Amino acid sequence: MCGIVGYVGRSEAAPILLDGLRRLGYRGYDSAGVAIVNGNKVETRKCAGRIAELGKLMAERPPTGTYGISHTRWATHGKPTDQNAHPHFDATGRLALVHNGVIENYQALKDQLIRDGDTNFASETDTEVLAHLIGKLYDQSIAADTSSNGKTKAELPNKKGRLVEAVRTALRQVIGTYGIALVHRDIPDFIVGARRGSPLVLGVGKDENFLASDVSAIVAYTRDAVYLNDFDVVAVERDKFEISSVAGEGGNYQVSKVEFTDADIKKGDYPHYMLKEIFEQPGSVRDAMRGRLSQEECTAKLGGLNMTPAQLRDVGRVVLTGCGTALHAAMIGEYLIEQLAQIPTEVEYASEFRHRNTPMTRDTLVFAISQSGETADTLGALRESRRKGYRTLGICNNVASTIARESDGGVYMHAGPEIGVAATKSFTSQVAILTAIGLLLGRMRHLSTSEGTRIIEALEALPEQIEEVLKLSDQMKAIAKKYASVSGLLFFGRQFNFPIAVEAALKLKEITYLFAEGHPSAELKHGIIALIRPDLPSVFIAPDDAVFSKNMNNIEQVRARKGPVIAITSGNCAKQLKGIADDIVTVPKVPDFVSPILTVIPLQLLAYHLAVELGRDVDKPRNLAKSVTVE
Ligand code: G6P
């Protein structure tokens, strides 16, 4: 995915655009650029590399002007080079465009443009083709009317109208996804935006307006936002805006208040967003539960699901889908819903689910889990499920995200903005919500009031217990230093903590670039044991639970082959591990179904401290993006 920021107002656009891009840096960071219009000049600065590189370029030659567009890129078509960096231009260089998404039929559109005599392409990108197409349609519209046909000037659509119409006509030819923003040198103080499948938000200010892929880019300037819908086209001026559809109809919109403030998206005293977000977990888990647990009825209250008690009772099967960390939360959700509600539950990779024909029963309830609410594969899964008529709910963090809006209902995480590319607090919020869903569905069936109360108590105790676990940060830092030169790590867990092994391995891969794998502990002996050697530590997630002694057997198997062992444990089990595990990390003892929310935290910290130790760019790891809005 990529990040877009646009501005039209009375202030200098350059600092606003650059500041917005820095805040969107998590969306992609392999090249960046701006185009600001100043009189009849489009001032462009763009380069491969981080936004800091663009900042240097803009400091050397500051572009001036009060309206413009900007972009930070995560490459899909063409390498991250200066040429391929956005903005891209039409054949005349008067129209500049930035784009987030993929134009799938760009080659066919390009071939047609070339056949029509346009060969002036400067990049390998799909975006440039769209810029050429819109520019050509706009110029044709001007030419047709000036060579005209008896109409008086007043009757002819103005330049703004013509540009919007050219955008609409071009987008009707496009197959694929887009969030776009564009400016034209000949049309002062005017930006056009449009979206389909990639998010775009209009920020409504006083005598100034903004466009952005995400409100975090503009919340320092305004908290009034219009979350655009797919196929919306927006014409933005300083003091007004007009929303219509690609088909040319009037658009419906609503101005919403952004939930968070600029302060929420600052790093504060933390060196990295990831560490800040790890430390926010007592609050984010509390917020995920706030107002959702009823002591009186001994159950969870999740009104956003939009389901009646009878509908909830009739759920016969659950499918949980998502990608990356959200998928790992789903894996815990499977254990939770099956244990608490005894409803058969399956986890599906969103990317697989959407294309394979999973047999489903009529009473299947589908949950699409996504922090961003914009992940293309998860969105595709949600659409496929809804198309087939299954009730499909979202578990999202980003308010008004596409998944949140397209689902039949759902549960917001209320975790606050997550900026670090490696997901941390969103994961624990997702698991807490899935526990609440298990409780709710269980209480519609066999779970007694006392069992319901026990689950509520376990959930309510979590924020304080997380505070305790966060005190392990220094120990995890020391362990990270000790193992800084290893070639990789293996992670093992059983039952509720098997998905934690997989999630911990993902965290490690994402931000340290070390080799890591997560497996069920017992699988060790079915092949992985061949890897065990003194320079490859194994991390066992072995809390004080029903399967601890089984985990112990596997730990012994590793020790017998001289593999170092780091154990994440709880309660009295720490004593049993003494002299067996090389490093013992103890979290509070809790019921098994909530233990993953605690055991994951030291492993988030391990990945974090190891990445810092290795000098990695923790918040912006190589090749990744916070949310992937392409397939
Ligand atoms: C990307 C990120 C992962 C994230 C996944 C799903 O791959 O790098 O960290 O877990 O997307 O993101 P979502 O926003 O759908 O939860």
Side-chain angles (χ1 to χ4, degrees), residues 119-372:
T119 51
N120 189 18
F121 290 93
S123 77
E124 300 161 302
T125 64
D126 50 343
T127 304
E128 191 185 13
V129 175
L130 184 59
H132 277 234
L133 181 59
I134 297 172
K136 180 183 132 189
L137 291 164
Y138 174 74
D139 288 342
Q140 279 174 348
S141 147
I142 297 276
D145 278 341
T146 39
S147 62
S148 201
N149 45 33
K151 282 186 183 172
T152 65
K153 222 174 168 200
E155 285 172 299
L156 296 173
N158 62 21
K159 286 182 178 174
K160 291 173 185 164
R162 288 166 203 245
L163 184 60
V164 171
E165 197 43 51
V167 169
R168 283 201 197 102
T169 310
L171 293 180
R172 286 199 289 266
Q173 297 175 41
V174 161
I175 300 171
T177 55
Y178 51 80
I180 56 168
L182 59 112
V183 287
H184 198 292
R185 190 198 70 179
D186 299 351
I187 315 177
D189 303 315
F190 191 62
I191 315 180
V192 184
R195 71 158 278 179
R196 184 196 171 217
S198 299
L200 196 64
V201 185
L202 170 73
V204 185
K206 203 171 170 306
D207 238 9
E208 59 184 4
N209 287 311
F210 307 80
L211 280 178
S213 301
D214 172 344
V215 279
S216 62
I218 53 176
V219 74
Y221 308 97
T222 177
R223 289 178 64 199
D224 292 327
V226 178
Y227 296 92
L228 297 174
N229 291 310
D230 271 354
F231 301 108
D232 274 353
V233 178
V234 60
V236 193
E237 300 182 55
R238 275 178 190 157
D239 51 357
K240 62 178 175 196
F241 60 87
E242 199 176 314
I243 297 175
S244 57
S245 72
V246 169
E249 288 145 14
N252 291 325
Y253 68 89
Q254 190 191 333
V255 182
S256 322
K257 259 289 171 250
V258 179
E259 260 190 1
F260 56 87
T261 66
D262 191 37
D264 295 324
I265 49 174
K266 294 237 161 87
K267 261 195 300 215
D269 293 334
Y270 288 94
H272 298 99
Y273 278 109
M274 183 181 177
L275 192 63
K276 175 182 180 238
E277 288 154 8
I278 290 173
F279 273 81
E280 281 174 347
Q281 290 177 104
S284 52
V285 167
R286 188 178 287 117
D287 289 342
M289 295 294 101
R290 196 183 296 282
R292 290 174 168 163
L293 299 175
S294 162
Q295 303 275 6
E296 207 178 293
E297 294 177 32
C298 316
T299 188
K301 297 269 195 197
L302 300 170
L305 299 182
N306 296 335
M307 290 174 74
T308 63
Q311 287 169 331
L312 284 167
R313 201 192 50 223
D314 288 345
V315 172
R317 199 168 160 230
V318 174
V319 170
L320 304 171
T321 189
C323 305
T325 291
L327 186 91
H328 301 155
M331 288 164 70
I332 300 174
E334 178 180 2
Y335 283 86
L336 282 165
I337 296 171
E338 291 194 343
Q339 175 155 323
L340 302 180
Q342 294 285 302
I343 299 176
T345 302
E346 268 158 67
V347 176
E348 293 269 358
Y349 286 97
S351 54
E352 292 295 309
F353 179 63
R354 61 180 300 198
H355 295 300
R356 83 191 188 96
N357 223 357
T358 313
M360 309 246 273
T361 51
R362 282 167 178 274
D363 53 4
T364 300
L365 180 62
V366 179
F367 284 94
I369 308 174
S370 171
Q371 187 283 131
S372 62

